[in-house]
Amino acid sequence: MPALPQLYAHPFSSYCQKVLVALYENGTPFELRILEDPQAQAELAERWPIKRFPVLVDGERTILEATCIIEYLDRHYPGPSRLLPDHAEDALEVRMLDRFFDNYISTPQQKVVFDRIRPEDQRDPYGVTEARAMLDTAYAWLDQRMAGRTWAVGERFSLADCGAAPFLFYADWTHPIPATFANVHAYRQRLLARPSFARAVDEARPYRHYFPLGAPDRD
């Protein structure tokens, strides 16, 4: 019997949750190598010296970056939920929205969080202000985008939603989504209700004390 793919990850990481959602959507068997274990950390460093995660190891193959991992899973471990459409134009739109959530929700959100971790005399108030402004602009664009849609690309849950779920989850903790953006709030709630993401959120609950800004008493 072939060995299961191994995912080097941490349950509280948004990019790891992005991959976990994809795995849980299709009930894909895998082994989770949690990166609080020194042995798992050593194995990751040997495979990938930059030591960023998640990383998927499948036999002799090592796949880096959450989006690429999900595309790999969709190709090599297909399940009932195809996360990247076969139609080229539809797949392009999914990839476009995936990049939107990575670059304009997750990146500025993490800028605010990582800045808080820095020593106070090395913080970047200007950069944080820019990041918060980017989130405001991204929220406004997404609110218009989601009018009349269930998921990021229409009525089908996709790769783009795998990223949207954890990124909007933490973004609203970091820089609250204004109440006026009802479409974004409704989308975030649909994501939270999705069983695959609800499972990832529940598995991360024991680690909420790690959140540098203080995890709110909700979600």
Side-chain angles (χ1 to χ4, degrees), residues 22-174:
L23 289 161
Y24 295 157
E25 276 291 313
N26 283 310
T28 306
F30 72 103
E31 178 186 353
L32 180 59
R33 302 289 288 143
I34 297 181
L35 291 167
E36 291 201 336
D37 176 4
Q39 180 61 36
Q41 293 173 12
E43 292 169 8
L44 175 66
E46 184 175 352
R47 289 270 185 175
W48 179 225
I50 292 177
K51 294 186 282 190
R52 294 292 179 91
F53 48 88
V55 167
L56 185 76
V57 176
D58 189 19
E60 296 302 313
R61 300 193 68 171
T62 298
I63 302 95
L64 314 173
E65 299 295 324
T67 293
C68 296
I69 292 171
I70 293 172
E71 290 210 32
Y72 178 87
L73 292 169
D74 207 49
R75 179 182 294 269
H76 294 277
Y77 294 90
S81 294
R82 292 304 305 275
L83 299 174
L84 195 68
D86 292 325
H87 189 274
E89 291 299 319
D90 293 340
L92 180 62
E93 188 173 9
V94 168
R95 290 189 177 100
M96 180 182 74
L97 268 292
D98 174 71
R99 302 321 304 143
F100 166 79
F101 288 114
D102 272 18
N103 292 327
Y104 307 117
I105 300 292
S106 180
T107 295
Q109 183 270 330
Q110 291 193 340
K111 168 65 179 178
V112 177
V113 169
F114 291 155
D115 192 77
R116 180 62 63 90
I117 296 171
R118 290 179 173 182
E120 191 168 356
D121 62 350
Q122 297 179 32
R123 289 179 182 168
D124 177 18
Y126 180 79
V128 168
T129 298
E130 283 193 317
R132 291 185 181 278
M134 176 64 76
L135 284 169
D136 284 333
T137 302
Y139 292 159
W141 183 88
L142 184 60
D143 194 65
Q144 293 183 348
R145 165 84 190 184
M146 292 308 299
R149 294 175 183 264
T150 301
W151 305 114
V153 183
E155 297 305 305
R156 180 176 176 176
F157 192 91
S158 72
L159 162 65
D161 303 293
C162 291
F167 299 158
L168 286 173
F169 178 77
Y170 287 118
D172 192 45
W173 284 11
T174 302

Side-chain angles (χ1 to χ4, degrees), residues 10-12 36 199-210:
H10 193 284
F12 199 60
E36 291 201 336
R199 178 177 172 182
V201 169
D202 283 341
E203 290 173 346
R205 288 186 190 280
Y207 305 101
R208 288 191 175 196
H209 62 280
Y210 287 168

